[in-house]
Amino acid sequence: MTHARAERAALSDLFARIGPDSPTLCEGWTTFDLAAHLVLRERRPDAAGGIALAPLAGYTARVQESLKTKHGFDGLVELVRSGPGGVYGLVPGLDQAVNTMEFFIHHEDVRRAQRVWEPRELPADLEETFWSRVRAGRGLFLRKAPVAVVLHRIGGGVALGGTKDGPKVEVTGPASELLLFCFGRQAHARVDLSGDEAAVARLMDASLGV
């Protein structure tokens, strides 16, 4: 089983266990909304553009709501579980390349929105994968950072992002936690931050991610 499939299965199990009305870290979304988003992303390419493009967001939101009505929560969870759907299941290697990060982040969006949670101990090769993604994508993920950012991976590795001038904030943690931080989950990532207090506050409030 690939890491993408393992995260998909674990998230599906969590959905089924806690039900449709549980909170997530995706602002305004319950687990029902998140399940619909994942199905839309894979199985409704006509509506997926609105995930990233604001002018198309209205159509995407309407399709997402229609999926909730059509399938119900249990049906959506089974569609998530049975994936990868659409092109992700047709192109060899695409699921692992794209969905490993997607499903890990959304799995943590559900886990860390619950009252009690602890970080998971992830396989070493998965942490390596996440560190490669952080290093390759830091320019994109941190493009809205208002300060210079120095990412320190526990176990070795440094990556720079954010602005080139001004105050600097050092962010230290495992690769998986740095990934969550860079994807806008700053308040829920288990990392250590150091730097000017005002600069740290600005970074914590910034809209990071894709």
Side-chain angles (χ1 to χ4, degrees):
M1 178 178 284
T2 65
H3 291 305
R5 290 179 180 271
E7 289 297 312
R8 178 190 296 274
L11 176 55
S12 298
D13 289 344
L14 182 55
F15 277 150
R17 186 166 71 251
I18 66 177
D21 300 319
S22 292
T24 76
L25 299 187
C26 301
E27 186 175 358
W29 280 7
T30 64
T31 41
F32 201 171
D33 298 309
L34 181 54
H37 160 79
L38 292 170
V39 170
L40 179 150
R41 175 180 167 272
E42 288 195 330
R43 300 174 185 268
R44 287 295 303 269
D46 61 304
I51 295 172
L53 301 174
L56 303 178
Y59 176 62
T60 297
R62 290 192 296 274
V63 172
Q64 184 166 303
E65 286 300 311
S66 74
L67 289 170
K68 293 168 62 178
T69 300
K70 178 179 180 180
H71 297 286
F73 181 69
D74 292 343
L76 289 172
V77 172
E78 286 310 307
L79 286 171
V80 172
R81 188 188 301 278
S82 66
V87 68
Y88 298 98
L90 296 175
V91 179
L94 186 60
D95 179 50
Q96 180 73 349
V98 177
N99 284 335
T100 301
M101 194 164 66
E102 176 82 10
F103 275 86
F104 168 76
I105 291 172
H106 284 317
H107 188 189
E108 293 302 319
D109 282 337
V110 179
R111 292 185 69 254
R112 299 184 187 212
Q114 309 312 306
R115 187 173 60 86
V116 178
W117 66 273
E118 288 296 331
R120 293 178 288 155
E121 184 173 343
L122 300 176
D125 65 322
L126 184 55
E127 290 283 359
E128 287 292 341
T129 294
F130 289 153
W131 181 236
S132 295
R133 302 290 174 83
V134 168
R135 286 187 302 166
R138 65 189 186 276
L140 175 63
F141 307 153
L142 297 173
R143 69 191 185 283
K144 296 181 182 179
V147 298
V149 181
V150 184
L151 302 171
H152 295 275
R153 178 197 181 193
I154 292 176
V158 178
L160 308 178
T163 64
K164 296 185 182 300
D165 302 311
K168 177 175 65 177
V169 175
E170 314 257 353
V171 186
T172 303
S176 52
E177 300 295 328
L178 295 174
L179 177 70
L180 291 167
F181 187 92
C182 289
F183 265 78
R185 279 71 173 175
Q186 296 99 303
H188 302 276
R190 291 284 180 88
V191 296
D192 294 319
L193 294 96
S194 61
D196 175 77
E197 184 175 333
V200 169
R202 291 175 65 199
L203 181 59
M204 290 296 290
D205 289 339
S207 177
L208 305 183
V210 177

